Amino acid sequence: MTDQEKILSEVTGSDYKFGFHTDIDTETIPKGLSEKVVRIISAKKEEPEWLTETRLKAFRHWQTMKMPEWAHLRIPEINYQDIIYYAAPKQEAKYESMDEVDPELLDTFNKLGIPLEEQNQLAGVAVDAVMDSVSVKTTFQDTLADKGIIFCSFSEAVKNHPDLVKKYMGSVVPYTDNFFAALNSAVFSDGSFCYIPKGVHCPMELSTYFRINAANTGQFERTLIVAEDDSYVSYLEGCTAPMRDENQLHAAIVEIVAMENAEVKYSTVQNWYPGDKNGKGGIFNFVTKRGICKGDNSKISWTQVETGSAITWKYPSCILRGNNSVGEFYSVAVTNNYQQADTGTKMIHIGKNTRSTIISKGISAGKSENSYRGLVKVLKGAENARNFSQCDSLLLGDKCGAHTFPYLEVDNMSAIVEHEATTSKIGEDQIFYCNQRGIDTENAISLIVNGYAKEVLNKLPMEFAVEAQKLLAITLEGSVG
Amino acid sequence: MLEIKDLKVNIEDKEILKGINLSVKPGEVHAIMGPNGSGKSTLASALAGRDYFDITHGKIIYEGKDLLELSPEDRAREGIFLGFQYPVEIPGVSMVNFLRTAINSMRKYRNQDPLPAGDFLKLMREKKQVVEIDSDLTNRSVNEGFSGGEKKKNEIFQMALLEPKLAILDETDSGLDIDALRIVSNGVNKLRSPENATIIITHYQRLLDYIVPDFVHVLYKGRIVKSGDKSLAKELEEHGYEWIKQEVDAEM
């Protein structure tokens, strides 16, 4: 069988296959959010005073804020006092050797296809595995350390590299940025930290795998990536959660800093539990991702494949401050059943000759709502800024919605900004044409949708591209009947 | 191979086919001719399993099986090929990927292992020659940006690759210039064998100069009103459809 065939035959008849729950001793704190809870989290992480203070400032600010309502989403009321803000698999958070890791935990990540034993790993991918509120294991740390690369959990970074964390944390996404960023800044529990020193080309893909396991908890992680002058890193993020009838909240922050001539590629395959066919349960995915091209000739590229979550609210953005810097956003967002997604990007052109590209492919099926929302802003000083945006929507069936909300703010006459948008329906004719060549309808849809999303899927690292194709097929299963 | 018995088809309560009878044996080439709106394409669609109409009466027996019970993909896997009048574009899906998926779906149905990539590419190269197809064409997305002639050549190329038992070519000659017509016809002729059969649906006689049919049927107002050998096509060319129309309308 070809790879493609294998993928397709594997997915036929399967549901959300990461919906299992690991029965493991979990330490949780009581439900609810208060200054006391913020202090407890900070104390559990043995954090320095400045970080506790930052959390408290964020918390106080959050209390003055309201949930944003401008997105094309219907969000049920969220009781923030009904959420557990800290849950950790019991035992030490970090292990000296693999023998110390709870076999249940290892098993969990094995089932997810993320073996934590280095010898079993995909060659060339280092993984930081985060379960609920803590990082379980980071692989290949030693190999990377030889090059001076720091890749560890956020908590470890706070302990071992406090100066770097203090300098960059909140420098791209301040806690005042928005409601969910403030919430995250108050209660974040772990995440990944990555530092690429000057002139280093990171030899392997770095990856964080986020897993929500405990019930009634929220996951609030943050990722911070700093790429010094002339460095390069490709970073992958994956996420899954058990199937539960209750909604669970995930509010993350990702910050990227790219210095002169640095390039950061950030890829996400988001597969949080989307809820059942009737829209019950699923993850609320409210995420703030932003990168700054600080130095000249730097480049930040976001690629995302969004198939999961009941509700997605997410706009990975680039601040193009360095001259000649480049921002890219490639996105495939798929919604089925009652899923809702409002996603897109912001490209802020500040430096001269800055360029940005936006390719967004929305796919809606079932009774879902899928919106692209993007801002291209060209500031006065951004001479010769260029943007190209292409937003395509594909509809499967006639009960779903696709929406495009492009915003343009251009304050420099030399800027060239192009926007193209299309909406199409997957054609009966296309499906029949495939049928007539012996291809059944499920496979035909998979073929057509993957063809439609190809431009974006091609941007993903190899292993992820395969994973993403599978996901597209699973997500759209039963969408044509 | 194929028995169509008193087939009646409605589209939105309007009867389009009013009782078609047709028998096709292995090795035969049948031409179905008729003026526009006579139901030719509906007949092709009914054989392939398109479902925008209702089959109200009749039977289609193919290789001993009740064809109407089979899904479109199973009909294809059983060896029925439809050369489309208007082949659709599928952006982003390469011809190679499309045909490999198709051929392996068919092989799976026959409990055969998938064709190894090397063998598949070799087969493609071989079959491209049948229709003198540009090798660049197969690297492009399915029919995307193809000219009218390229699309039709591409249909015959797929037919060569999938080796059907029964090929139905729906207006394959429409929109072709004389060179493309020659290439397409040569392709079809090369694929003729004592084991397979072809139904050619056409409005014009000119295609039949290149592909010589064993039988010619004239479809008019949803019925086969006249059948004969290849000389019937010649007669039609000389007298036009008016001749048939008058004859039939007089009887009604």
Side-chain angles (χ1 to χ4, degrees):
Chain A
M1 269 207 267
T2 64
D3 284 351
Q4 179 104 12
E5 285 265 297
K6 257 185 220 155
I7 292 162
L8 297 178
S9 63
E10 193 177 305
V11 301
T12 309
S14 67
D15 250 316
Y16 187 74
K17 65 173 177 181
F18 305 108
F20 63 91
H21 165 254
T22 309
D23 200 4
I24 193 166
D25 260 357
T26 305
E27 180 198 0
T28 55
I29 60 172
K31 280 181 184 175
L33 184 53
S34 62
E35 287 210 10
K36 194 176 151 208
V37 167
V38 174
R39 281 182 197 281
I40 291 172
I41 295 170
S42 191
K44 286 214 176 284
K45 315 234 80 154
E46 300 166 13
E47 284 173 354
E49 187 56 30
W50 66 266
L51 190 50
T52 314
E53 277 311 309
T54 309
R55 285 176 179 277
L56 288 169
K57 269 191 233 162
F59 176 67
R60 286 169 202 143
H61 188 75
W62 176 74
Q63 285 179 303
T64 69
M65 299 174 94
K66 278 209 169 74
M67 236 173 82
E69 282 170 355
W70 41 260
H72 188 80
L73 299 170
R74 269 176 307 143
I75 307 173
E77 202 176 330
I78 298 170
N79 182 354
Y80 289 91
Q81 296 306 333
D82 202 33
I83 294 170
I84 296 169
Y85 288 86
Y86 185 84
K90 257 184 201 163
Q91 284 194 359
E92 283 301 303
K94 275 286 166 177
Y95 309 93
E96 288 305 316
S97 85
M98 290 309 289
D99 304 338
E100 296 170 36
V101 181
D102 187 327
E104 279 284 331
L105 261 179
L106 284 183
D107 194 43
T108 300
F109 282 95
N110 276 332
K111 269 200 234 171
L112 296 170
I114 317 287
L116 297 179
E117 296 98 336
E118 287 181 8
Q119 66 270 27
N120 294 343
Q121 289 244 313
L122 287 167
V125 185
V127 180
D128 182 22
V130 177
M131 173 105 115
D132 295 326
S133 303
V134 296
S135 166
V136 176
K137 170 78 188 167
T138 312
T139 60
F140 290 109
Q141 270 178 311
D142 298 341
T143 318
L144 294 167
D146 287 345
K147 295 237 171 201
I149 296 167
I150 303 167
F151 180 46
C152 62
S153 73
F154 206 87
S155 317
E156 252 180 286
V158 169
K159 284 203 178 74
N160 301 332
H161 312 281
D163 296 344
L164 285 173
V165 175
K166 201 170 175 181
K167 184 170 172 190
Y168 291 110
M169 185 187 134
S171 72
V172 191
V173 181
Y175 65 79
T176 50
D177 192 81
N178 69 70
F179 183 82
F180 298 111
L183 179 63
N184 175 288
S185 302
V187 301
F188 74 92
S189 41
D190 216 330
S192 300
F193 175 76
C194 163
Y195 178 83
I196 316 291
K198 193 171 167 173
V200 171
H201 190 281
C202 185
M204 51 174 72
E205 307 273 351
L206 302 186
S207 139
T208 305
Y209 196 91
F210 295 106
R211 172 76 180 167
I212 293 178
N213 187 54
N216 303 315
T217 58
Q219 190 175 51
F220 307 93
E221 83 280 355
R222 31 191 330 144
T223 300
L224 175 57
I225 300 171
V226 179
E228 291 285 11
D229 294 354
D230 307 303
S231 66
Y232 168 86
V233 63
S234 168
Y235 196 93
L236 319 171
E237 176 203 290
C239 11
T240 56
M243 294 199 262
R244 290 212 173 83
D245 285 348
E246 304 80 35
N247 294 111
Q248 278 181 282
L249 180 62
H250 171 253
I253 290 180
V254 176
E255 294 178 284
I256 299 175
V257 181
M259 309 304 265
E260 211 170 299
N261 293 318
E263 180 176 348
V264 179
K265 240 184 107 150
Y266 194 105
S267 313
T268 307
V269 173
Q270 186 266 106
N271 185 26
W272 295 116
Y273 177 53
D276 69 9
K277 291 195 164 46
N278 302 313
K280 196 166 183 168
I283 301 290
F284 292 163
N285 189 35
F286 302 143
V287 175
T288 308
K289 291 182 169 179
R290 193 176 302 151
I292 181 165
C293 285
K294 221 168 176 175
D296 291 352
N297 311 312
S298 55
K299 179 175 173 183
I300 292 176
S301 177
W302 299 100
T303 304
Q304 61 172 19
V305 176
E306 301 282 317
T307 61
S309 297
I311 303 178
T312 295
W313 178 98
K314 178 178 162 185
Y315 315 90
S317 304
C318 298
I319 301 169
L320 304 170
R321 206 173 79 187
N323 293 330
N324 316 313
S325 60
V326 176
E328 293 175 338
F329 174 75
Y330 300 102
S331 170
V332 178
V334 190
T335 52
N336 196 2
N337 299 319
Y338 285 88
Q339 281 179 278
Q340 306 176 63
D342 193 298
T343 184
T345 184
K346 287 192 274 188
M347 293 290 174
I348 316 291
H349 293 256
I350 302 172
K352 294 185 176 60
N353 306 314
T354 45
R355 283 173 290 145
S356 62
T357 305
I358 299 171
I359 308 282
S360 164
K361 303 269 181 180
I363 301 164
S364 335
K367 292 177 177 153
S368 68
E369 292 289 332
N370 199 329
S371 305
Y372 166 80
R373 185 182 304 276
L375 168 68
V376 176
K377 187 169 179 154
V378 179
L379 273 68
K380 258 205 177 94
E383 287 292 323
N384 298 314
R386 297 279 181 277
N387 163 267
F388 174 75
S389 303
Q390 185 189 326
C391 305
D392 298 330
S393 309
L394 185 68
L395 297 166
L396 281 81
D398 53 9
K399 293 186 178 70
C400 49
H403 316 270
T404 307
F405 304 99
Y407 304 86
L408 290 176
E409 293 174 23
V410 180
D411 286 329
N412 185 305
M413 292 300 285
S414 66
I416 298 179
V417 176
E418 291 173 76
H419 181 90
E420 288 176 9
T422 65
T423 302
S424 49
K425 245 186 112 168
I426 205 162
E428 292 286 321
D429 289 346
Q430 288 176 324
I431 293 173
F432 183 72
Y433 193 77
C434 295
N435 288 159
Q436 214 302 305
R437 300 302 184 246
I439 303 167
D440 63 37
T441 301
E442 289 289 351
N443 284 344
I445 289 171
S446 185
L447 205 60
I448 296 164
V449 165
N450 275 303
Y452 164 80
K454 195 179 184 180
E455 263 177 287
V456 174
L457 297 179
N458 281 347
K459 299 286 172 187
L460 288 171
M462 186 51 186
E463 300 81 11
F464 260 36
V466 173
E467 187 71 14
Q469 290 196 350
K470 284 192 222 174
L471 273 177
L472 290 188
I474 297 176
T475 310
L476 293 172
E477 210 158 88
S479 58
V480 172
Chain B
M1 176 181 272
L2 182 75
E3 284 293 334
I4 303 177
K5 288 177 190 159
D6 202 19
L7 183 72
K8 293 181 182 173
V9 169
N10 277 15
I11 298 180
E12 287 171 359
D13 296 335
K14 188 166 184 272
E15 194 164 62
I16 304 295
L17 297 182
K18 300 172 181 170
I20 300 284
N21 290 291
L22 184 68
S23 172
V24 178
K25 293 190 182 65
E28 293 177 350
V29 174
H30 289 246
I32 295 178
M33 305 184 67
N36 290 329
S38 58
K40 301 191 296 289
S41 284
T42 303
L43 178 60
S45 297
L47 289 170
R50 193 79 214 249
D51 62 356
Y52 61 81
F53 41 69
D54 301 316
I55 290 167
T56 53
H57 187 264
K59 260 189 186 164
I60 307 177
I61 306 297
Y62 167 76
E63 298 268 84
K65 294 190 178 72
D66 182 353
L67 194 69
L68 299 176
E69 290 295 310
L70 296 179
S71 66
E73 58 268 30
D74 281 349
R75 296 183 196 194
R77 293 161 182 169
E78 289 286 350
I80 291 183
F81 178 91
L82 175 62
F84 285 79
Q85 185 177 4
Y86 304 109
V88 294
E89 301 186 357
I90 310 179
V93 178
S94 70
M95 278 306 300
V96 175
N97 190 10
F98 176 73
L99 284 174
R100 202 164 58 174
T101 308
I103 216 163
N104 285 334
S105 299
M106 293 188 177
R107 291 177 68 92
K108 192 177 172 189
Y109 184 78
R110 298 192 291 255
N111 293 317
Q112 290 170 316
D113 286 334
L115 205 57
D119 293 359
F120 174 74
L121 292 172
K122 205 176 132 212
L123 186 68
M124 289 237 328
R125 269 199 302 278
E126 201 180 291
K127 301 296 184 182
K128 270 183 204 171
Q129 290 164 4
V130 174
V131 281
E132 302 170 32
I133 207 167
D134 212 336
S135 64
D136 165 58
L137 225 53
T138 49
N139 292 328
R140 282 157 52 187
S141 295
V142 178
N143 293 319
E144 197 182 31
F146 286 28
S147 69
E150 284 171 338
K151 282 183 183 172
K152 294 298 174 71
K153 275 197 217 171
N154 190 26
E155 293 293 292
I156 304 305
F157 165 63
Q158 294 179 49
M159 171 177 153
L161 198 77
L162 298 173
E163 298 177 332
K165 286 185 205 154
L166 175 65
I168 304 147
L169 304 178
D170 189 6
E171 307 264 1
T172 297
D173 51 334
S174 68
L176 291 186
D177 62 31
I178 201 76
D179 286 334
L181 186 66
R182 181 187 51 80
I183 292 170
V184 164
S185 313
N186 279 347
V188 174
N189 285 332
K190 278 185 213 164
L191 298 171
R192 278 174 87 158
S193 82
E195 289 79 41
N196 61 30
T198 311
I199 298 175
I200 294 168
I201 290 173
T202 183
H203 183 84
Y204 302 103
Q205 193 271 334
R206 64 170 191 167
L207 178 65
L208 306 181
D209 287 340
Y210 295 91
I211 308 170
V212 181
D214 301 303
F215 301 94
V216 175
H217 311 276
V218 180
L219 192 63
Y220 177 57
K221 289 189 172 170
R223 285 194 182 86
I224 290 177
V225 292
K226 217 171 179 63
S227 294
D229 61 13
K230 62 186 177 194
S231 62
L232 178 58
K234 289 277 179 219
E235 253 179 289
L236 269 176
E237 191 180 45
E238 280 163 31
H239 306 291
Y241 286 112
E242 282 309 312
W243 157 63
I244 297 269
K245 283 182 188 172
Q246 280 167 15
E247 203 170 287
V248 173
D249 292 342
E251 280 172 26
M252 281 167 117

